[in-house]
Amino acid sequence: MKIKAIRFGKLPLHDACWSLITGRDNRIYVGVCGELTGGLSVYLVSYDPKTERTDYLVEVAATVGIPSDNGHATQSKIHYCLLAGDDGLLYGATHCTGAPLGDPIWRPWHCWYNPAKTFDGAKIFCYDPARDKVVFTDTVLSKEGSRCMALNQKAKKLYGISYPKNHFFVYDLASRRTEDFGRIGSINPQAIFLDVQNNAYTTDDYGYLLKFDAQRQKLHQLSVKLPRSPFRDGFHNVLYDAVLSPDGKSVFGVSWNFGAHLFRYDFDEGPEGRICDLGLPYGPDRDYWKNMTSDHAGGLVFGFDKMLYYAVNFYWKEPVETHLIRFHPEKQIREDLGIIAEGNCKANYIARGAADIYGNLYFADAGVRPTKVFKYTPEYAKTDTTRASIDIYRNWG
């Protein structure tokens, strides 16, 4: 298995890459975050598959006017909130959890009313890669972070979920206004996906799908829910990652840890769609969970071969190993391709996946230094291909 670790060595204190997307220019964009050290700023970084060049594009805290050394919780993280528009523009929104300079840890509940240490709020920035320019910045939410988002290209709206209040919100890119559609539960889902009508979907605390009707501007719960392991009562069975199938008729996804299940959601099967339980992402059945880092699957992305690729932490091994899995959607066969590593540089917690037009697959790693993205080059990868191929890889933040 051909794996290359793309390290972000200019940011030695940073420790996580959560968001990972492919731009319309075929560059890979990633938010390089810092959570374990107080007083850091998140950076927007790009990787060019053709030249293998890495560029540090935007130091976000300074750009949005919130210096990382001002004593407040920092603008040090873009969670699943980096999005690429069809016009080539990129949108990113910040999340809270980074401690103030000099503090070892920070919690939003303890500092909500603390004027010295509170989080200033999720900030959005729009970046134009063609001009290497930040087009605008704004405040999406006050005091809260933005956990995950999706982009309605047609309506020019961002759908998102706040943290810690866990509200579903819509940010209008034209009017620069945020509309709050209320609390959806206690546990943040980690992803939002769209159908062809640009309706948005996420989950409540027990895995029931929530649908935001783009036409009626209403959020409601569906009767379909994510599958779960039998030792769970369903609580915390929220959506972690999701990717559109190559034919656009379904979404493949995985729930968040604790006996996570792989699933397929067929949009047009019945009045509310249909969930198909595809079982465990990989590994043995069990009646327990280990912990949130060890028991993990993520980084879903389709390859040119129309196979689904994703990472699974083999919690039953000591030490835990992160393996790349290839899933055959029709035959429902899982193949273990091996450990995601380049030499001694090993993956820890794969958050998101992406692909370039040559067929290379990318996986963002989180939780350890150095910050890095792993590049997997399948045997089918090409050195030249059509730009249209990238359309099957549109991914959510």
Side-chain angles (χ1 to χ4, degrees):
M1 184 168 66
K2 189 177 179 181
I3 294 283
K4 174 184 175 66
I6 303 166
R7 301 169 178 86
F8 305 114
K10 291 185 178 180
L11 302 171
L13 295 180
H14 289 61
D15 47 65
C17 298
W18 295 106
S19 283
L20 176 72
I21 60 169
T22 308
R24 296 301 296 182
D25 56 5
N26 192 42
R27 285 197 287 174
I28 304 300
Y29 292 91
V30 59
V32 182
C33 312
E35 297 185 82
L36 302 180
T37 301
L40 299 180
S41 170
V42 62
Y43 281 73
L44 177 65
V45 179
S46 71
Y47 171 80
D48 189 331
K50 189 173 183 179
T51 64
E52 297 190 334
R53 173 175 166 169
T54 299
D55 288 305
Y56 297 75
L57 304 170
V58 180
E59 196 259 291
V60 176
T63 300
V64 300
I66 310 292
S68 56
D69 61 354
N70 70 351
H72 287 260
T74 56
Q75 305 282 323
S76 67
K77 182 176 180 180
I78 298 173
H79 207 241
Y80 304 125
C81 298
L82 187 59
L83 305 163
D86 286 340
D87 54 5
L89 297 177
L90 304 180
Y91 302 94
T94 59
H95 184 44
C96 59
T97 61
L101 181 66
D103 284 14
I105 199 168
W106 177 86
R107 292 289 182 260
W109 313 278
H110 301 156
C111 299
W112 192 264
Y113 296 107
N114 186 327
K117 294 185 182 294
T118 187
F119 185 61
D120 290 285
K123 307 295 181 180
I124 186 175
F125 65 92
C126 174
Y127 175 75
D128 185 349
R131 296 185 292 163
D132 187 22
K133 180 180 179 181
V134 174
V135 179
F136 74 84
T137 66
D138 195 12
T139 300
V140 182
L141 301 161
S142 176
K143 293 191 175 183
E144 291 195 84
S146 181
R147 176 74 94 171
C148 60
M149 293 197 313
L151 171 62
N152 180 338
Q153 306 269 0
K154 184 177 180 181
K156 297 296 181 185
K157 292 183 178 182
L158 300 173
Y159 303 132
I161 296 168
S162 73
Y163 173 84
K165 288 187 175 182
N166 203 26
H167 284 221
F168 187 94
F169 67 88
V170 177
Y171 179 82
D172 190 307
L173 291 165
S175 66
R176 309 273 178 87
R177 292 180 62 250
T178 302
E179 187 171 359
D180 188 345
F181 286 84
R183 184 175 170 86
I184 63 172
S186 299
I187 308 299
N188 268 155
Q190 306 293 293
I192 300 171
F193 61 85
L194 307 180
D195 61 21
V196 293
Q197 288 83 32
N198 285 308
N199 301 307
Y201 300 80
T202 189
T203 53
D204 71 2
D205 289 350
Y206 285 85
Y208 282 99
L209 283 188
L210 302 175
K211 179 180 180 179
F212 181 78
D213 190 309
Q215 222 29 44
R216 298 168 56 216
Q217 294 287 290
K218 289 188 178 295
L219 181 68
H220 63 282
Q221 179 182 295
L222 304 182
S223 61
V224 292
K225 63 185 300 188
L226 304 189
R228 60 179 174 83
S229 291
F231 69 87
R232 302 274 306 281
D233 67 358
F235 183 67
H236 202 292
N237 199 43
V238 297
L239 178 66
Y240 182 77
D241 197 4
V243 63
L244 190 67
S245 63
D247 62 11
K249 296 179 180 179
S250 305
V251 157
F252 286 77
V254 67
S255 51
W256 190 19
N257 304 325
F258 309 135
H261 271 229
L262 191 68
F263 68 88
R264 186 187 72 244
Y265 177 59
D266 302 317
F267 291 114
D268 298 328
E269 293 289 330
E272 295 186 338
R274 180 174 67 95
I275 292 278
C276 178
D277 183 1
L278 301 175
L280 298 177
Y282 197 85
D285 285 319
R286 79 281 200 190
D287 58 0
Y288 68 96
W289 60 269
K290 193 171 182 180
N291 61 55
M292 291 183 70
T293 300
S294 300
D295 191 358
H296 171 71
L300 279 64
V301 59
F302 274 95
F304 278 4
D305 54 1
K306 297 186 179 179
M307 299 295 158
L308 178 64
Y309 293 80
Y310 54 85
V312 174
N313 281 9
F314 282 17
Y315 67 90
W316 58 92
K317 288 184 173 289
E318 288 293 344
V320 175
E321 297 175 349
T322 303
H323 285 233
L324 181 61
I325 307 300
R326 179 165 56 202
F327 178 80
H328 193 299
E330 293 183 5
K331 298 178 181 178
Q332 298 187 19
I333 296 173
R334 296 154 175 78
E335 299 176 70
D336 175 14
L337 301 182
I339 300 175
I340 301 177
E342 182 186 39
N344 292 326
C345 187
K346 299 179 180 180
N348 176 66
Y349 187 100
I350 296 299
R352 285 295 188 261
D356 64 30
I357 60 172
Y358 307 115
N360 301 299
L361 306 181
Y362 299 82
F363 300 93
D365 193 36
V368 294
R369 301 184 183 102
T371 47
K372 57 196 170 297
V373 167
F374 288 96
K375 177 181 179 179
Y376 167 59
T377 301
E379 293 180 358
Y380 63 75
K382 302 176 181 180
T383 57
D384 187 29
T385 188
T386 60
R387 186 183 181 91
S389 301
I390 203 171
D391 289 337
I392 71 170
Y393 296 125
R394 308 310 294 166
N395 41 49
W396 300 276

